[in-house]
């Protein structure tokens, strides 16, 4: 039985197959409308979510399956002190596959140890968010036609942003990737990622000003400052509007640069940018459904 806890759980060859399936679903969704008839997905979300939870639910329903779950730890027996290990043993009796989000890093790994069904990590603290990475990679592959040979700028909260951490781990496996990390000093990329890049001899640079590197980028991945991971409100307020991408700033960027964002957005991309043809963040949302349909089929061995 397979699970998805980290983007590295799939080889690049397996990812190619998954993305081929997601693209086939995009071309002809009706062909897959009954693949999961009789199957049940449980969504166990101990943290807020719009996209991840609802796209999983939409994916399962579009495949003909059904959905159970909770969207708030307080409406589950976690509020009475039940552990993740016990919860997944229970969920294993009710569902065929489980997508889980939890504020604690490693929670999905704990669940896997006791699970009788495939577990998908829908985000664990500031650690990993592998299905967002699948969404990001499918978007890039679909809109650019390749997954290597890019200069990618990651901008904003690189310290707490789990989507960023997952995406970097996935992209280092492709050739010709160069990273530009754009963040205030307080929200720098963690040292363990810097060490990993040095070890693999992957080129990267850390900068503070977005304008200084915008002309160099093939891809710009904007992120929200993660209010929920700050220890004090004062630091959050000081840093939350550090970067705001505007139409004016975008004049510095290449005509074919893609603007990505895992969403939700707060202030870091001005709404006027939404009409720019380079803005791909709402397209990402749609690709997120196709790739989760492909992932459910793959983990249930229905692909
Ligand atoms: N991108 C993402 O994880 O969004 P949600 O928090 O709404 O699931």
């Amino acid at each position: 039985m397979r699970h998805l806890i980290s983007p590295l759980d799939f080889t690049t060859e397996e990812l190619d197959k998954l993305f081929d399936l997601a693209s086939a679903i995009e071309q002809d969704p009706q062909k897959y409308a009954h693949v999961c008839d009789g199957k049940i997905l449980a969504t166990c979300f101990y943290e807020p979510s719009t996209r991840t939870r609802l796209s999983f639910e939409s994916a399962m329903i579009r495949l003909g399956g059904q959905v159970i779950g909770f969207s708030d730890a307080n409406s589950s027996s976690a509020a009475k002190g039940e552990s993740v290990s016990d919860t997944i043993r229970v969920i294993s009796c009710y569902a065929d596959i489980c997508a889980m989000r939890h504020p604690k890093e490693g929670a999905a790994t704990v669940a896997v140890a006791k699970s009788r069904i495939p577990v998908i990590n829908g985000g664990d603290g500031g650690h990993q968010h592998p299905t967002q990475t699948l969404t990001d990679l499918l978007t890039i592959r679909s809109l650019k036609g390749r997954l290597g040979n890019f200069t990618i700028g990651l901008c904003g909260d690189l310290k707490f942003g789990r989507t960023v951490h997952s995406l970097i781990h996935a992209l280092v496996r492709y050739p010709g990737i160069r990273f530009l990390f754009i963040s205030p000093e307080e929200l720098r990329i963690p040292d363990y990622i810097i060490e990993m890049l040095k070890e693999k001899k992957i080129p990267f640079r850390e900068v503070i000003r977005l304008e200084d590197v915008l002309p160099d980028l093939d891809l710009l991945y904007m992120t929200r400052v993660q209010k929920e991971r700050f220890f004090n409100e004062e630091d959050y307020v000081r840093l939350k509007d550090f970067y705001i991408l505007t139409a004016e700033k975008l004049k510095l960027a290449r005509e074919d640069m893609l603007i990505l964002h895992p969403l939700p957005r707060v202030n870091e991309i001005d709404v006027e940018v939404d009409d720019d043809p380079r803005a791909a963040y709402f397209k990402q949302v749609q690709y997120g459904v196709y790739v989760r349909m492909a992932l459910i089929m793959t983990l249930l061995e229905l692909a």
Side-chain angles (χ1 to χ4, degrees), residues 109-120:
T109 307
V110 169
V112 162
K114 295 288 180 195
S115 184
R116 288 191 288 111
I117 57 174
V119 174
I120 301 167

Side-chain angles (χ1 to χ4, degrees), residues 23-38:
S23 297
I25 293 169
E26 179 188 5
Q27 295 304 314
D28 186 5
Q30 207 49 40
K31 184 174 163 193
Y32 301 88
H34 296 287
V35 172
C36 283
D37 279 359

